[in-house]
Amino acid sequence: MNRPQATRPTDPETLKACCAAAYEQDLVALLLGESYHPGGLDLTRHLARTLDLRPGQRVLDVAAGRGATACLLAAEFGVDVDGIDLGPTSVERARLAASERGLDRRVRFHQGDAERLPFNDGTFDAVICECAWCTFPDKATAATEFARVLRPGAQVGITDVTLDRARIDPELATLAGYLACIADARPAAEYAALLEGAGLRVVASEAHDDALTRMIDQIEARLRVWALLDPPGLTLAPETILRYTAAAAAAVADRVAGYQLLVARKPERNRS
Ligand SMILES: C[S@@+](CC[C@H](N)C(=O)[O-])C[C@H]1O[C@@H](n2cnc3c(N)ncnc32)[C@H](O)[C@@H]1O
């Protein structure tokens, strides 16, 4: 992985492209496995059950990454899925994953921006967005887009990193911002307010901070092994890695960082 740059881009379009490119690095797959969010596919199943997904429904996976969630939803819940991601390589890999599993007729992937979804109003029975909203520079616009593409009465299900930015160790915030693009994560109450501001009603909010702790432990264990191999691509010294993972684990223990599931419903159309 590239060494963190001295300055991070501030222009929103560059920031988004930089984040999408970061998640296309092979090291990310090595560290995170097939799905790129705390809780992995078990938490995805829980989210799908909370959304009460039913066979034949049409679901949008926003920031679909390598397509693990979209394939799971189609295979295990019988839904048709559109996945969208900003990273062209991620989209290619997701298409390949769906094709290898014989799911290409039920799962389609598109390259595009969560803040400008290329779908008509009221298209989907559910929208899912896992561990990605925290990275979008314009969270209010993304929430408005989630609401717009949902049919009336349908729900959006989100799992995402939460951060109390006033209390986070600045060094950790910088590293999290550089490596995982999560420095702009918000507290759970702020995500809920953004969803409500987009005209949705929050119907579920659950803390899954333990999932974030497990992911930090997994990253630490894999980075330790990786560091032992002394590969040319690793620019962080093992002791630096351990310092950061310990600080990240402490941030979760101190409730400065966490992982939250939120479900919000679009109101039914008013009957006149
Ligand atoms: C942490 S990964 C999560 C991927 C996937 N949801 C998962 O859980 O496996 C974040 C993803 O967000 C995508 N992304 C970042 N900004 C985006 C944007 N503005 N529109 C669409 N995708 C975006 C990245 O390319 C990356 O694949």
Side-chain angles (χ1 to χ4, degrees):
M1 185 176 283
N2 294 333
R3 186 184 292 277
Q5 302 157 357
T7 55
R8 185 158 175 79
T10 48
D11 156 55
E13 296 307 312
T14 314
L15 202 61
K16 284 187 272 189
C18 173
C19 175
Y23 279 101
E24 290 180 330
Q25 309 242 1
D26 289 334
L27 181 58
V28 177
L30 197 81
L31 294 179
L32 301 185
E34 61 180 330
S35 75
Y36 289 181
H37 59 266
L41 295 179
D42 284 344
L43 188 57
T44 298
R45 288 186 184 93
H46 174 66
L47 181 63
R49 285 193 290 268
T50 307
L51 288 167
D52 195 21
L53 296 187
R54 300 292 169 95
Q57 288 187 326
R58 195 161 169 205
V59 177
L60 175 65
D61 183 13
V62 178
R66 291 188 171 205
T69 285
C71 289
L72 177 145
L73 296 178
E76 297 186 15
F77 291 82
V79 294
D80 285 338
V81 189
D82 286 276
I84 184 164
D85 199 281
L86 199 58
T89 305
S90 292
V91 171
E92 260 173 51
R93 287 174 173 152
R95 285 185 183 137
L96 187 65
S99 155
E100 282 172 356
R101 295 182 63 176
L103 291 167
D104 23 8
R105 291 182 58 192
R106 306 255 310 284
V107 185
R108 296 159 295 276
F109 291 100
H110 318 264
Q111 199 216 335
D113 189 341
E115 296 172 6
R116 292 186 288 272
L117 293 174
F119 302 101
N120 293 331
D121 299 2
T123 302
F124 294 100
D125 299 301
V127 170
I128 277 184
C129 184
E130 296 169 304
C131 201
W133 194 22
C134 69
T135 74
F136 306 158
D138 189 345
K139 292 173 178 49
T141 294
T144 304
E145 283 294 86
F146 300 159
R148 183 183 65 74
V149 300
L150 281 173
R151 67 165 170 73
Q155 301 184 113
V156 57
I158 287 163
T159 64
D160 219 325
V161 176
T162 58
L163 215 52
D164 180 345
R165 289 184 295 165
R167 289 174 59 217
I168 193 167
D169 167 346
E171 198 185 16
L172 184 62
T174 308
L175 188 83
Y178 284 130
L179 298 185
C181 319
I182 60 163
D184 194 37
R186 307 294 170 86
E190 203 173 320
Y191 288 135
L194 284 161
L195 293 170
E196 300 265 351
L200 302 168
R201 193 167 61 82
V202 175
V203 295
S205 181
E206 299 171 0
H208 288 270
D209 299 353
D210 51 328
L212 186 55
T213 302
R214 286 196 303 275
M215 179 180 254
I216 293 165
D217 289 348
Q218 173 186 313
I219 290 173
E220 182 191 310
R222 293 186 182 180
L223 275 172
R224 278 174 189 260
V225 174
W226 180 255
L228 283 178
L229 302 173
D230 197 19
L234 187 71
T235 56
L236 291 173
E239 56 276 13
T240 312
I241 292 166
L242 295 182
R243 194 157 50 86
Y244 283 130
T245 51
V252 183
D254 294 343
R255 300 190 158 274
V256 172
Y259 202 69
Q260 195 79 12
L261 176 150
L262 289 148
V263 173
R265 187 187 302 276
K266 182 169 177 170
E268 296 283 357
R269 254 190 219 106
N270 286 338
R271 292 197 191 101
S272 50

